[in-house]
Amino acid sequence: MARIKDSNIQTAIGNVLRYGVYLSLAVSLIGGIFYLKDHGSEKVASKYAHFIEKDDSFFDYLTNVFKGIGNLHGEEIVKLGIIVLIITPTIRVIFSLLGFILEKDKLYIVITLIVLLIIGISVAGGLG
Amino acid sequence: MDVYQFTLLVFFGAVSAGLIGSLTGLGGGVIIIPLLTVLLGVDLHYAIGTALVSVIATSSGSAAAYVREGITNIRMGMFLEIATTIGAVLGTVIAAFAPANLVAILFGFVLIFNGLNSLRKKAEHVQITSSKAATWLKLPSSYPTKEGPVAYGIKNVGGGFSMMSVAGILSGLLGIGSGAFKVIAMDNIMKVPFKVSTTTSNFMMGVTATASAFVYLQRGYIEPGLCMPVVIGVLIGAMLGAKILVKSNPKKLRLFFSVVILLLAINMIYNGFNHKF
């Protein structure tokens, strides 16, 4: 019985990873087309040569992204694609958690929650 | 150069990085960094952010296939992700204080180490006995082969966990998947069969990179104008590489690219010592 459940979880996890990457690629590609249409002929000069540190909270970042998408800003649509990509492994962890709950595997429920907690620290801006 | 040309240049660079990464077994992230910094003059911080995003894309893409085949040890991956995610968050803390030149020098040495490590011969070993800790953590498992499932045991959980923390720190600090260090932790220290080590390492890479990616996103390391062509390019390159590997075992090509990577690494170390970052 446990074996069947294990393979079901494996299929679900595999699908989460696969569709997450597909969705992210599709969104980034659409954003890329808008970005190149609006900014394609601008000069790059030294845009990426000097790093400028920012200090946005993740939720401010998300709010700005959604505002930009409403105005069809290519860069913000690409950012949404990147967010989908970054969130995909986290959704995978949540699926693993559901699997361990179904199997009533207490040890691994705790282990998975610890990993989610550390990702939560990262979302909150890390330790710095 | 306008944005259109730059994007195209980065895109083709990323395709070759993905291709070389899959042919040499080093992964695309580790190659995209010297490509962006040494050849295209991109700041190291942006290069690290971009590489990290591409690591999530390539590892998720390939992990999906391995997980379905049942080779990946999901419990072991989950448990060791505690070590790699803590390491990754620590890595981003170090990155905030470490001078870019020092990071570039460390990156160069890691690249050389990975390159040498990929040339090492790997023997498949299966051992049956397990340590007490491994059994308590339900880590021993089996993996499918043509002759049916092969059961394996696991040893030295503490040693593997420590090595995984180091892999996590390097991943968070340098923007790489640090697959080589993850495989060393499982294959050499915990005595996990090689096939299980490599697929589980791949499986863990996404979560490890995510833990630092959220921090880097907020600090402005992740530039959409760079990430878009890189992520798409690296994925296409990795797929092409996998196709070539199925058809032939390109030994000479492998050696040639290893030399190219070695030269890029030396260039990064040299520039780091000369404070060019």
Coordinates of all heavy atoms in Angstrom, one line a residue, chain A residues 10-11 13-19 21, chain B residues 58-70 72 202-203:
Chain A
Q10 N 5.5 10.6 -6.2 CA 6.6 10.9 -7.2 C 6.0 11.5 -8.5 O 6.6 12.4 -9.1 CB 7.3 9.6 -7.5 CG 8.3 9.2 -6.5 CD 8.8 7.8 -6.6 OE1 8.5 7.1 -7.5 NE2 9.6 7.3 -5.6
T11 N 4.9 10.9 -9.0 CA 4.3 11.4 -10.2 C 3.9 12.9 -10.0 O 4.1 13.7 -10.9 CB 3.1 10.6 -10.6 OG1 3.5 9.2 -10.6 CG2 2.6 10.9 -12.0
I13 N 5.0 15.1 -7.9 CA 6.2 16.0 -7.7 C 6.8 16.2 -9.1 O 7.1 17.4 -9.5 CB 7.2 15.3 -6.8 CG1 6.7 15.4 -5.3 CG2 8.6 16.1 -6.9 CD1 7.6 14.7 -4.3
G14 N 6.9 15.2 -9.9 CA 7.5 15.3 -11.2 C 6.7 16.3 -12.1 O 7.2 17.1 -12.8
N15 N 5.3 16.2 -12.0 CA 4.4 17.1 -12.7 C 4.6 18.5 -12.3 O 4.6 19.4 -13.1 CB 3.0 16.6 -12.6 CG 2.7 15.4 -13.5 OD1 3.4 15.2 -14.5 ND2 1.7 14.7 -13.1
V16 N 4.6 18.8 -11.0 CA 4.8 20.1 -10.4 C 6.0 20.8 -11.1 O 6.0 21.9 -11.6 CB 4.9 20.1 -8.9 CG1 5.4 21.4 -8.4 CG2 3.6 19.8 -8.3
L17 N 7.2 20.0 -11.0 CA 8.4 20.6 -11.5 C 8.3 20.9 -13.0 O 8.7 21.9 -13.5 CB 9.6 19.6 -11.3 CG 9.9 19.4 -9.8 CD1 10.9 18.3 -9.6 CD2 10.5 20.7 -9.2
R18 N 7.8 19.9 -13.8 CA 7.7 20.0 -15.2 C 6.8 21.2 -15.6 O 7.2 22.1 -16.4 CB 7.1 18.8 -15.8 CG 7.1 18.8 -17.3 CD 6.7 17.4 -17.8 NE 7.4 16.4 -17.0 CZ 7.9 15.3 -17.5 NH1 7.7 15.0 -18.7 NH2 8.5 14.4 -16.7
Y19 N 5.6 21.3 -15.1 CA 4.7 22.4 -15.5 C 5.1 23.7 -15.0 O 4.9 24.7 -15.6 CB 3.2 22.0 -15.1 CG 2.7 20.8 -15.8 CD1 2.2 19.7 -15.2 CD2 2.8 20.8 -17.2 CE1 1.7 18.6 -15.9 CE2 2.3 19.7 -18.0 CZ 1.8 18.6 -17.3 OH 1.4 17.5 -18.0
V21 N 8.2 24.7 -14.8 CA 9.2 25.2 -15.7 C 8.6 25.7 -17.0 O 8.9 26.8 -17.6 CB 10.3 24.2 -16.0 CG1 11.3 24.6 -17.1 CG2 11.1 23.8 -14.7
Chain B
T58 N 17.2 24.5 -14.9 CA 17.7 23.2 -15.5 C 17.5 22.1 -14.5 O 17.2 21.0 -14.9 CB 19.2 23.4 -15.8 OG1 19.9 24.0 -14.7 CG2 19.5 24.2 -17.0
S59 N 17.7 22.4 -13.2 CA 17.5 21.2 -12.2 C 16.1 20.8 -12.1 O 15.8 19.6 -12.1 CB 18.1 21.6 -10.9 OG 17.2 22.5 -10.2
S60 N 15.1 21.7 -12.1 CA 13.7 21.3 -12.1 C 13.4 20.5 -13.3 O 12.7 19.5 -13.2 CB 12.8 22.5 -12.0 OG 13.0 23.3 -10.9
G61 N 13.8 21.0 -14.5 CA 13.6 20.3 -15.7 C 14.0 18.8 -15.7 O 13.3 17.9 -16.1
S62 N 15.3 18.6 -15.3 CA 15.8 17.2 -15.3 C 15.3 16.4 -14.1 O 15.1 15.2 -14.3 CB 17.3 17.2 -15.5 OG 17.9 18.0 -14.4
A63 N 15.1 17.1 -13.0 CA 14.7 16.3 -11.8 C 13.3 15.7 -12.1 O 13.0 14.6 -11.6 CB 14.6 17.2 -10.6
A64 N 12.4 16.4 -12.8 CA 11.1 15.9 -13.1 C 11.2 14.5 -13.7 O 10.4 13.6 -13.2 CB 10.4 16.9 -14.1
A65 N 12.1 14.3 -14.6 CA 12.2 13.0 -15.3 C 12.7 11.9 -14.3 O 12.1 10.8 -14.2 CB 13.1 13.1 -16.5
Y66 N 13.7 12.2 -13.5 CA 14.3 11.3 -12.6 C 13.4 10.8 -11.5 O 13.4 9.7 -11.1 CB 15.6 11.8 -12.0 CG 16.7 12.1 -13.0 CD1 17.4 13.3 -12.9 CD2 17.1 11.1 -13.9 CE1 18.5 13.5 -13.8 CE2 18.1 11.3 -14.8 CZ 18.8 12.5 -14.7 OH 19.8 12.8 -15.6
V67 N 12.6 11.8 -11.0 CA 11.7 11.5 -9.9 C 10.7 10.5 -10.3 O 10.4 9.5 -9.6 CB 11.0 12.8 -9.4 CG1 9.9 12.5 -8.4 CG2 12.0 13.7 -8.7
R68 N 10.2 10.7 -11.6 CA 9.2 9.7 -12.1 C 9.7 8.3 -12.3 O 9.0 7.4 -12.1 CB 8.6 10.3 -13.4 CG 7.8 11.5 -13.1 CD 7.6 12.3 -14.4 NE 6.6 11.6 -15.3 CZ 5.3 12.1 -15.4 NH1 5.0 13.1 -14.8 NH2 4.5 11.5 -16.2
E69 N 11.0 8.2 -12.6 CA 11.6 6.9 -12.7 C 11.9 6.2 -11.4 O 12.1 5.0 -11.4 CB 12.9 7.0 -13.5 CG 12.8 7.3 -15.0 CD 14.1 7.6 -15.6 OE1 15.1 7.2 -15.2 OE2 14.1 8.4 -16.6
G70 N 11.8 7.0 -10.3 CA 11.9 6.4 -9.0 C 13.4 6.2 -8.5 O 13.6 5.4 -7.6
T72 N 15.5 8.8 -7.7 CA 15.7 9.8 -6.7 C 15.3 9.3 -5.3 O 14.2 8.8 -5.2 CB 14.9 11.1 -7.0 OG1 15.1 11.4 -8.4 CG2 15.4 12.2 -6.2
N202 N 20.5 16.6 -8.1 CA 19.7 17.4 -9.0 C 18.4 17.8 -8.4 O 18.0 18.9 -8.6 CB 19.4 16.5 -10.3 CG 19.5 17.3 -11.5 OD1 18.9 18.4 -11.6 ND2 20.3 16.8 -12.5
F203 N 17.7 16.9 -7.8 CA 16.5 17.1 -7.1 C 16.6 18.2 -6.1 O 15.7 19.0 -5.9 CB 16.0 15.7 -6.5 CG 14.7 15.8 -5.7 CD1 13.5 15.9 -6.4 CD2 14.8 15.6 -4.3 CE1 12.3 16.0 -5.6 CE2 13.6 15.7 -3.6 CZ 12.4 15.8 -4.3

